[in-house]
Amino acid sequence: MSIDTLSYAFKHSPFRGVDRLVHLAVADVANDDGGYEIFMSKKTISIKAACSVRSVDTSLDKMVEMGILELLFVGGGAGRPNRYRYCFFPENPAILS
């Protein structure tokens, strides 16, 4: 859990609704000891954000596209989730406005 990423997400999240809940959920589980990496299953994120796995998938894709998350590793099914890095200063400056 990282208070840095969670505080940053609360302050700078460009999202509303389900996308915002997913953003806060992944920010909450970022590992601040290992480069702000996230390696939680989409199912677990969906439970944490109270939404469907499909909504999580869509939200994560948006976050990668916007530069909020960096995809580090593509997982391979059960027990091998994708691995992301939470980015504090995305390339898209509109996020920080």
Side-chain angles (χ1 to χ4, degrees):
M1 180 173 140
S2 173
I3 194 68
D4 296 334
T5 55
L6 189 55
S7 296
Y8 187 85
F10 268 111
K11 185 174 180 180
H12 296 290
S13 181
F15 302 113
R16 302 246 184 269
V18 171
D19 291 333
R20 184 174 179 89
L21 292 174
V22 172
H23 187 190
L24 295 173
V26 297
D28 185 44
V29 299
N31 180 357
D32 57 359
D33 293 334
Y36 301 105
E37 290 187 9
I38 300 152
F39 43 92
M40 179 179 277
S41 74
K42 292 176 185 177
K43 176 68 174 169
T44 304
I45 295 169
S46 75
I47 292 167
K48 193 171 184 68
C51 65
S52 69
V53 174
R54 179 70 183 134
S55 293
V56 169
D57 203 28
T58 301
S59 295
L60 292 175
D61 287 346
K62 287 179 192 176
M63 288 181 224
V64 169
E65 185 177 310
M66 294 174 76
I68 294 169
L69 296 177
E70 175 188 4
L71 181 60
L72 301 175
F73 172 79
V74 177
R80 294 187 46 147
N82 290 352
R83 182 171 289 180
Y84 299 91
R85 175 175 292 120
Y86 192 90
C87 302
F88 284 94
F89 302 104
E91 305 237 348
N92 184 350
I95 293 171
L96 300 177
S97 59

